[in-house]
Amino acid sequence: MRMGKRLYSLVMLGVVAILGGLLAAGLIVPVVGMTAATGKDALNSLDTLPTELDTPDQWERSRLLTVDGKVLAYFYDENRVYRPLSEIAPIMQKAQVAIEDHRFYEHGAMDLTGTLRALVSTSQGNTQGGSSLTQQYVRLVLVETAEENNDPAARAAATENTLARKVRELRYAIAVEKKFTKDQILERYLNIAYYGDGAYGVEAAAMHYFGVHAKDLNLAQAAMLAGLVRNPVATNPVKFPALGIQRRNDVLTRMASLEVITPEEAAAAKAEKFDPKKMKLSLKGCANSEFPFVCDYALEVLKQQATALGNTEEERLERVYRGGLTITTQIDPAAQRNAQKVLSRSVAAKDPVIGVITMMEPSTGLIRAMVQSRPTMGDNDGGKKWKGETFYNYNVGQDYNGYNGFQGGSTFKIYVAAAALDNGFGVRTSFKVPYSRNYEGQVFPSCNGSVKVNKRWVVDGPEKGMYDMWRGTSQSVNNYFVPLEQAVGICPVVKMAKKVGLELASGEDLTTEAFPAFTLGAADVTPLSMVTAYGTFANRGVRCNPIIIKSIATKDGTKVPVPSAGCKRVIDADVADAVNKVFQGPINSGTLRGARIWGYDMAGKTGTVPLNKAEWSVAYTPDLVAAAGISFDNGPKFKKFWKNRGQRFLRYLRLKTGVTLTGFGADAGQRILRPAMQKALADIGKNTKFVDPPASVLNGQSVDVPSCSGMGPSACSLTLAKAGFSTYTTKEYSDIVGEGGLIGLTRSGSAPKGSAIGIRVSKGPEPLPDPTPTPTPSTPTKKPRKP
């Protein structure tokens, strides 16, 4: 039996040797000695093969850069940077040829000696090497093409241990040798080969293992890389140092035996040690980036908005991961690092609260910085070993891998004021403000009819008295803005917020939140949309959507269109100027004065969420808008913590950084917004001033106050309401008007649109004072003398 096998092998060797010349010419294939099935497969494959191999551009990684050109992250399916042969060290070329196919420059598509050996071995069921370097290149191309097309069957066919595969490779190799020169084939081989540890191509491998470019590889380094191709897992010097060094030395020995190098050069190279400390790990994906959530947002923008990269999200991602693009963001690393430093100084990653800072240029939409108190991307399960990582980008919406959003508190008052100014109300529109007011039973005009408050809704505040828009804004008076919203209507307010850029974190339409409590910030929105909305006012009514991508270039330098900010006018410039004038009040003398940066025209607003669940500050100049907030974390990890704390939430909460929060919006303004914004403004180097609005817009319309002569208080109230005024009642004594009768109004002639007019109701005549009784002198009684 054994003798029969040996005889069979000798016969096979002879037959194949005779046919070798014809096989090399691509005219016939060996079928003698094969099984019937094997021979049939080989012939069939030959008949169906095209005469040329499609050699598409090799996949290359894309780079994501900060605005100063530093690498933020790499995106790739295969970590590859294509390099021409002129940029690959000659010793690397020689090492690869020596160990894989030392007669590469001497033979055609097939190394006859190696192929004969491999054919005989394969026909007996044993897999053996022997493929020429060209054949190896063919196999790598077929595998990559199969993966690109997501074709498992094609990949299996490209790697199966059969004679049919060898024949297919050979036929393709013949076509490749006709199409390319030997140097061109070697260049493509060195760029497509896998060198282990995630490195595809010699440039990525050189940078990964040694921190040098392919053109700078020395002999020892080149030998190690060349040896990896055959078995990149088992000879990986990182995971298996001894095997990796041994394989490198085998390559050096082979090079010396072929007289590519001298024995002395081989010995010197063998003495060199592999130093893992010199490795340069690739920043694959966003988790390894310095700014992982900026990176992640940029990737989502590329996927969802960069339509020039493909018609579908899948096509766009494929282009990003395989197209060798250079993508430059607008992120300023200095501003980003400073904002992160400022925030982390106040809020720690493991604190039971979430802190954010977002900054944007109003006139362009360029995101200057976007940071959060949990800056590390990672496991967010809240386990015992949790180190404060998260997968959420707290600054953006859920569609962009964001969180559930945050209530904005009184930062929403700017939308009420803007809607009021846009509809003829002015800064002199006044309301009588009580310390506390229950709005149960009140009716608010909304988008679909009117909304009636059917349950107890008490709005508190420390203020009392008559307030106009100036004072109501500066001191953030809740019971000024709720009546103003009622007078303007909820629908104009919410639509104003929507068109200037405010968005719900859920992605739903903002008008679904058209309820009376909107003016107090009772909607979960994203910080990024908050700066977008405030930026519209800063930009005099022109809304620019936030953009993070500055440029996209292909590997040949061709520019690709990037997502646009889509800047367009959404409100009148005069209205925006009036808003800016009014909202300078909180900065100059109100709740946000702690965030004031001297020398700049600034406007903004604080926001405190009921029960002190969150504190916000948003401030802007014509050149920069910033939002800073700290909110309680309502995730499962801190559920017990907040339950034990009761209703206090952020009020006097001491954080791990040693900072004690007040629970009010001014806290965020002074602690984190001001220092972050001050540095960013200095970097921008601009100091644009606000434009004064026309008095007609700022003051609003004046409306004639109707006469209530001959009416009772109720009828008068209805008359005033029809004229657009709100009312309040004052009671006073009158000798003329009987109790409960109408004395008159607190204002006559004309009054600012929507203002509150006092209805003076009689309490009747003032009672006469009680007469003071005249004391009656008393006669002292003498005590009788004792006898």
Side-chain angles (χ1 to χ4, degrees):
M1 184 68 180
R2 181 177 297 177
M3 192 66 185
K5 286 185 177 181
R6 289 179 178 177
L7 180 60
Y8 172 79
S9 298
L10 290 172
V11 172
M12 274 296 301
L13 181 60
V15 172
V16 174
I18 293 172
L19 298 176
L22 295 176
L23 180 60
L27 300 177
I28 63 170
V29 295
V31 294
V32 180
M34 304 178 194
T35 65
T38 304
K40 184 178 180 180
D41 288 345
L43 286 171
N44 287 341
S45 67
L46 181 61
D47 291 339
T48 58
L49 283 178
T51 56
E52 289 191 10
L53 175 67
D54 183 17
T55 54
D57 291 341
Q58 294 172 14
W59 299 351
E60 290 189 57
R61 72 185 184 189
S62 293
R63 300 182 301 160
L64 185 70
L65 310 179
T66 52
V67 74
D68 62 352
K70 301 293 177 59
V71 175
L72 194 57
Y74 294 108
F75 300 124
Y76 54 82
D77 286 331
E78 294 179 355
N79 181 22
R80 178 185 290 111
V81 180
Y82 196 97
R83 289 287 182 261
L85 205 61
S86 60
E87 295 182 22
I88 300 174
I91 194 63
M92 179 67 217
Q93 302 174 37
K94 293 176 182 179
Q96 198 71 75
V97 170
I99 196 62
E100 291 299 329
D101 184 2
H102 71 280
R103 289 186 291 269
F104 172 65
Y105 283 95
E106 301 169 8
H107 60 66
M110 177 183 67
D111 177 8
L112 185 58
T113 303
T115 299
L116 292 175
R117 183 176 64 250
L119 285 173
V120 172
S121 179
T122 302
S123 68
Q124 294 179 333
N126 300 316
T127 303
Q128 183 174 330
S131 296
S132 68
L133 193 145
T134 305
Q135 289 172 282
Q136 292 181 46
Y137 169 67
V138 166
R139 181 170 64 255
L140 293 171
V141 169
L142 291 173
V143 169
E144 187 159 293
T145 301
E147 291 181 350
E148 183 175 2
N149 295 330
N150 194 25
D151 189 343
R155 193 188 193 291
T159 55
E160 63 186 0
N161 295 323
T162 64
L163 190 56
R165 191 207 83 202
K166 291 281 188 181
V167 171
R168 288 194 299 272
E169 286 179 5
L170 181 55
R171 179 59 180 267
Y172 277 131
I174 294 169
V176 169
E177 290 268 354
K178 290 180 180 179
K179 183 177 181 180
F180 300 117
T181 66
K182 288 289 188 178
D183 280 354
Q184 289 174 329
I185 294 170
L186 179 59
E187 176 184 306
R188 284 163 171 75
Y189 179 91
L190 288 169
N191 278 287
I192 198 172
Y194 180 53
Y195 290 90
D197 229 30
Y200 289 81
V202 69
E203 172 69 13
M207 190 60 66
H208 175 70
Y209 289 107
F210 309 112
V212 301
H213 293 288
K215 64 183 178 63
D216 299 321
L217 288 166
N218 63 28
L219 173 58
Q221 294 166 343
M224 178 166 282
L225 294 185
L228 282 167
V229 173
R230 185 167 298 179
N231 195 336
V233 176
T235 57
N236 185 328
V238 181
K239 298 178 180 178
F240 307 104
L243 292 175
I245 293 296
Q246 181 58 53
R247 177 61 177 165
R248 179 202 68 180
N249 293 346
D250 291 343
V251 175
L252 292 168
T253 299
R254 178 64 169 165
M255 293 175 73
S257 69
L258 295 172
E259 298 183 351
V260 176
I261 59 175
T262 66
E264 291 76 17
E265 289 173 325
K270 289 179 181 180
E272 290 189 23
K273 295 182 179 180
F274 173 69
D275 186 2
K277 294 181 180 179
K278 293 183 179 180
M279 293 178 64
K280 189 173 182 180
L281 301 179
S282 174
L283 296 173
K284 180 181 180 181
C286 294
N288 297 310
S289 171
E290 180 183 1
F291 311 130
F293 297 102
V294 168
C295 170
D296 187 66
Y297 179 67
L299 182 60
E300 285 298 315
V301 168
L302 291 168
K303 181 179 78 172
Q304 299 185 40
Q305 300 180 27
T307 55
L309 296 178
N311 294 324
T312 66
E313 291 187 355
E314 290 75 15
E315 289 178 1
R316 295 166 205 153
L317 280 181
E318 182 176 300
R319 187 85 179 275
V320 170
Y321 277 86
R322 300 176 179 179
L325 304 174
T326 297
I327 305 156
T328 303
T329 70
Q330 297 288 356
I331 288 295
D332 178 357
Q336 182 78 7
R337 292 187 190 106
N338 180 68
Q340 187 65 63
K341 181 180 178 181
V342 167
L343 183 57
S344 297
R345 198 161 53 210
S346 292
V347 186
K350 296 180 71 174
D351 273 321
V353 297
I354 299 164
V356 296
I357 302 175
T358 305
M359 294 189 286
M360 187 184 85
E361 294 181 10
S363 61
T364 62
L366 306 183
I367 298 174
R368 297 286 298 184
M370 185 165 61
V371 301
Q372 58 191 54
S373 57
R374 294 172 188 164
T376 303
M377 184 177 286
D379 189 3
N380 66 340
D381 65 358
K384 292 182 179 179
K385 295 183 179 180
W386 183 66
K387 297 179 180 179
E389 312 99 325
T390 183
F391 286 119
Y392 292 121
N393 182 343
Y394 294 110
N395 282 290
V396 301
Q398 295 173 6
D399 290 346
Y400 287 83
N401 297 332
Y403 193 55
N404 299 327
F406 307 94
Q407 291 190 10
S410 292
T411 61
F412 281 27
K413 289 174 181 173
I414 197 170
Y415 313 119
V416 180
L421 292 164
D422 194 39
N423 283 277
F425 296 82
V427 294
R428 296 177 300 144
T429 297
S430 302
F431 299 102
K432 186 175 183 180
V433 173
Y435 287 131
S436 180
R437 181 178 176 185
N438 180 13
Y439 288 87
E440 184 176 5
Q442 291 290 308
V443 176
F444 289 72
S446 189
C447 296
N448 298 308
S450 297
V451 175
K452 184 177 182 180
V453 180
N454 292 317
K455 61 181 181 179
R456 183 176 173 82
W457 180 38
V458 177
V459 177
D460 296 321
E463 307 86 5
K464 183 180 180 181
M466 290 299 298
Y467 280 82
D468 59 14
M469 192 180 292
W470 290 118
R471 295 179 63 217
T473 299
S474 179
Q475 298 179 36
S476 192
V477 181
N478 290 340
N479 280 315
Y480 174 83
F481 274 92
V482 174
L484 181 61
E485 178 191 52
Q486 186 178 29
V488 175
I490 303 173
C491 202
V493 170
V494 176
K495 286 184 176 181
M496 172 62 72
K498 179 181 177 180
K499 66 184 177 182
V500 296
L502 191 67
E503 295 178 350
L504 294 175
S506 65
E508 296 179 7
D509 193 289
L510 190 64
T511 56
T512 60
E513 296 294 328
F515 298 104
F518 185 83
T519 186
L520 302 182
D524 294 319
V525 298
T526 68
L528 186 57
S529 75
M530 292 171 73
V531 296
T532 303
Y534 271 65
T536 301
F537 300 119
N539 200 29
R540 304 192 66 211
V542 175
R543 169 181 167 178
C544 293
N545 294 322
I547 57 174
I548 196 168
I549 306 299
K550 181 179 181 180
S551 65
I552 303 174
T554 64
K555 52 191 174 185
D556 64 2
T558 303
K559 297 295 183 182
V560 178
V562 300
S564 168
C567 297
K568 64 178 181 180
R569 179 165 298 285
V570 293
I571 58 173
D572 187 78
D574 291 341
V575 172
D577 291 339
V579 171
N580 297 337
K581 188 74 172 179
V582 172
F583 280 78
Q584 291 177 59
I587 288 281
N588 294 334
S589 60
T591 57
L592 197 51
R593 59 187 178 275
R596 185 174 183 179
I597 302 170
W598 292 98
Y600 291 92
D601 274 7
M602 294 182 68
K605 187 68 188 71
T606 54
T608 302
V609 174
L611 300 180
N612 303 101
K613 289 184 177 180
E615 53 183 50
W616 285 97
S617 284
V618 186
Y620 61 94
T621 75
D623 304 308
L624 183 69
V625 56
I630 303 173
S631 173
F632 89 110
D633 184 350
N634 62 356
K637 179 172 179 59
F638 297 105
K639 186 175 181 180
K640 184 177 180 181
F641 174 86
W642 295 118
K643 182 179 180 181
N644 293 337
R645 187 168 171 78
Q647 299 291 307
R648 293 178 296 162
F649 287 94
L650 272 58
R651 187 71 168 149
Y652 303 126
L653 175 65
R654 186 171 178 82
L655 303 179
K656 295 181 184 296
T657 57
V659 167
T660 299
L661 301 177
T662 66
F664 294 101
D667 206 23
Q670 185 171 1
R671 288 187 185 280
I672 58 180
L673 184 142
R674 185 181 186 277
M677 193 173 183
Q678 187 170 23
K679 177 66 167 59
L681 280 170
D683 291 341
I684 291 174
K686 297 179 182 179
N687 192 354
T688 308
K689 303 299 182 181
F690 288 123
V691 176
D692 282 332
S696 59
V697 176
L698 190 64
N699 295 327
Q701 302 171 6
S702 290
V703 178
D704 290 336
V705 178
S707 172
C708 287
S709 178
M711 300 181 188
S714 296
C716 181
S717 179
L718 290 173
T719 300
L720 291 171
K722 288 179 181 179
F725 295 106
S726 62
T727 61
Y728 61 92
T729 301
T730 64
K731 292 188 176 183
E732 54 192 84
Y733 294 112
S734 173
D735 293 330
I736 301 172
V737 179
E739 184 176 359
L742 177 66
I743 299 174
L745 305 176
T746 58
R747 304 186 72 154
S748 61
S750 64
K753 181 180 178 179
S755 288
I757 305 293
I759 298 176
R760 299 165 58 205
V761 178
S762 173
K763 296 195 294 183
E766 183 175 6
L768 294 174
D770 292 335
T772 304
T774 302
T776 302
S778 56
T779 302
T781 302
K782 293 184 179 180
K783 292 182 180 181
R785 292 183 178 181
K786 291 181 180 180

